[in-house]
Amino acid sequence: MASELHEAIFMAKRERHKNLFLNYRNLNIFPVELLRDEGMQFLERLFMKRNSLTTLPENLAQKLPNLIELYLHSNNIVIIPQAIGNLAKLQSLDLSDNALQVICPEIGQLRSLRHLRLANNQLKFLPQELGDLRELETLDVSVNLLRTLPERLHQCLSLQCLTADRNLLHCLPRLLCLLPDLSELSMAANCLTSLPLDLGRCMELQFVFVDNNAHLKGLPSYLYNKVIGCSGCGLAAQISDLKQLCLTLGDVTVPLPSEVKAIGSETDRVLPLEELACRVLHAAHSWTSKDVRFLTPFLLPKSLLDVVRSPLGHCHRCSQPMFTIVYPKLFPLRETALAGVHKRTTVSFVAYCCSSYCLRTFDLQG
């Protein structure tokens, strides 16, 4: 086995191969032949799946500076060295099926990275620096121990596919709804109790899979015309978080997202003054931010500015930003045209509106 390994590396060096396959070699340390002398400056793709590696060498980027793809699926890697951030040309990194408990912040330095696979590890959190990966298109963090996703993940402006099945997630950062290119989102088999109000508002998002979240009873009405997977949702008998406001229609009770602190009804005729003020400030802030004549767009306390910049969501009828109060309406899935498609679920669609007028006139199928 050792002689075959040496021969494969020797041939790759002599013939300046761009691809090197070292899968199924029973390796427990990184081959030193790859790192000797000048290394393999020409190598672009390295396949080392199903070995027994526990770590990577610190000088990997120095010896393999032109590496574009690195596949380390199914090893025993416990830690990734900080020097991983020096692989400036790396576009695809597969670390699935290892023993990772922590991902170093330096992974955010991989500015060319497009595909990152971290599924089936032991990760309890992800570094905020993932938000620096502006070229990232695919992120798979399934089968870990994650309770939250990084708040800065919405800064991955190229992200198209996000998969986080079989974790311990209770909610999603609402700013994920801002991702302009996100087309597929999979959060099956977590502990979700609600979804962001604006999820599905972006036209690019076409596939949303939240199957087997037993406490998830409400889907934003934006998802009505999407391809959704919700089998096994809403089957829990009790609401898990009593701090969440709930909406009830007959025998259907749906917990709302925890950030929703007040709800209105069809009989309300006047908006609360606090909500009106936030809407006016938001409109003014948006206007001054776009006008180059205003060098300092808006002078507000940071706490208030954060509220104005990040509404709870947008009205599902007229797209008006909402800040302190929403006017929700339930549409049990069993009473919609999708009832025959989704049978093993008791979820409802929730329309979040900005006023009693929009609430009364909202049409789920319109």
Side-chain angles (χ1 to χ4, degrees):
M1 181 69 74
S3 61
E4 292 179 5
L5 174 65
H6 298 326
E7 179 67 17
I9 296 176
F10 175 77
M11 290 290 292
K13 281 191 171 184
R14 187 179 68 179
E15 299 179 7
R16 303 180 67 84
H17 290 175
K18 292 185 177 182
N19 304 324
L20 180 58
F21 296 88
L22 299 179
N23 302 323
Y24 299 95
R25 299 280 185 166
N26 200 28
L27 300 172
N28 51 31
I29 59 172
F30 202 87
V32 293
E33 292 86 351
L34 288 177
L35 308 174
R36 283 178 181 162
D37 304 323
E38 75 282 359
M40 296 182 70
Q41 306 284 321
F42 41 84
L43 193 65
E44 295 182 355
R45 296 173 186 85
L46 177 58
F47 299 81
M48 301 188 70
K49 299 180 182 180
R50 297 194 177 277
N51 285 288
S52 300
L53 300 176
T54 57
T55 188
L56 298 176
E58 290 282 351
N59 60 346
L60 184 63
Q62 178 184 351
K63 298 298 183 178
L64 307 176
N66 292 306
L67 209 57
I68 295 176
E69 299 177 10
L70 179 58
Y71 298 97
L72 298 163
H73 184 286
S74 300
N75 278 275
N76 296 317
I77 298 175
V78 176
I79 190 169
I80 298 295
Q82 297 177 355
I84 191 75
N86 295 326
L87 288 168
K89 296 184 179 181
L90 196 66
Q91 295 181 16
S92 184
L93 176 60
D94 188 351
L95 288 162
S96 303
D97 291 293
N98 278 281
L100 293 170
Q101 297 184 18
V102 176
I103 297 294
C104 61
E106 285 74 17
I107 200 166
Q109 298 173 14
L110 299 174
R111 301 303 168 83
S112 299
L113 198 64
R114 293 186 177 183
H115 307 285
L116 177 59
R117 295 176 175 85
L118 300 170
N120 201 15
N121 279 282
Q122 300 169 32
L123 298 170
K124 294 183 178 180
F125 65 91
L126 298 171
Q128 292 292 340
E129 286 75 8
L130 282 182
D132 296 330
L133 302 177
R134 302 301 169 85
E135 302 299 321
L136 192 67
E137 298 175 3
T138 304
L139 176 62
D140 186 355
V141 293
S142 299
V143 198
N144 278 285
L145 303 171
L146 301 172
R147 294 183 178 274
T148 60
L149 294 176
E151 288 292 334
R152 288 176 51 196
L153 200 57
H154 71 281
Q155 296 175 357
C156 298
L157 297 179
S158 300
L159 194 62
Q160 298 175 17
C161 181
L162 173 58
T163 306
D165 300 333
R166 297 174 62 187
N167 278 279
L168 302 171
L169 299 172
H170 286 266
C171 62
L172 304 180
R174 70 173 188 258
L175 292 180
L176 283 181
C177 301
L178 299 178
L179 288 170
D181 295 329
L182 188 65
S183 61
E184 182 174 333
L185 175 66
S186 188
M187 299 284 164
N190 276 279
C191 305
L192 297 175
T193 58
S194 62
L195 295 173
L197 280 64
D198 275 353
L199 188 64
R201 183 169 184 255
C202 178
M203 296 298 293
E204 290 298 322
L205 184 61
Q206 292 297 318
F207 303 92
V208 176
F209 304 105
V210 289
D211 305 83
N212 297 318
N213 282 278
H215 289 283
L216 181 62
K217 298 176 182 289
L219 306 177
S221 68
Y222 282 128
L223 298 179
Y224 183 72
N225 292 316
K226 312 289 185 178
V227 177
I228 56 174
C230 56
S231 176
C233 290
L235 300 182
Q238 296 180 346
I239 298 172
S240 59
D241 188 352
L242 296 178
K243 296 180 181 180
Q244 290 179 260
L245 290 178
C246 295
L247 192 61
T248 300
L249 177 65
D251 62 341
V252 177
T253 298
V254 174
L256 302 181
S258 58
E259 59 264 31
V260 174
K261 303 302 183 184
I263 56 177
S265 68
E266 288 189 21
T267 59
D268 296 342
R269 291 293 181 263
V270 180
L271 281 172
L273 183 59
E274 183 182 20
E275 178 67 17
L276 282 171
C278 286
R279 293 184 188 183
V280 170
L281 289 173
H282 175 80
H285 176 265
S286 299
W287 178 67
T288 57
S289 296
K290 295 175 183 177
D291 195 325
V292 294
R293 293 174 299 174
F294 292 85
L295 298 179
T296 55
F298 227 57
L299 296 177
L300 286 175
K302 184 180 182 304
S303 57
L304 181 55
L305 191 58
D306 289 343
V307 171
V308 169
R309 284 173 171 169
S310 304
L312 295 177
H314 294 77
C315 178
H316 291 198
R317 183 184 181 277
C318 72
S319 293
Q320 168 72 49
M322 302 175 291
F323 298 89
T324 63
I325 188 171
V326 298
Y327 293 76
K329 187 174 185 177
L330 283 185
F331 297 87
L333 187 149
R334 68 193 182 200
E335 299 176 9
T336 71
L338 299 179
V341 179
H342 303 281
K343 296 182 178 179
R344 189 177 163 266
T345 184
T346 59
V347 298
S348 299
F349 289 101
V350 185
Y352 296 98
C353 299
C354 67
S355 65
S356 58
Y357 172 78
C358 284
L359 182 62
R360 291 193 304 271
T361 57
F362 178 85
D363 182 1
L364 183 63
Q365 301 183 55

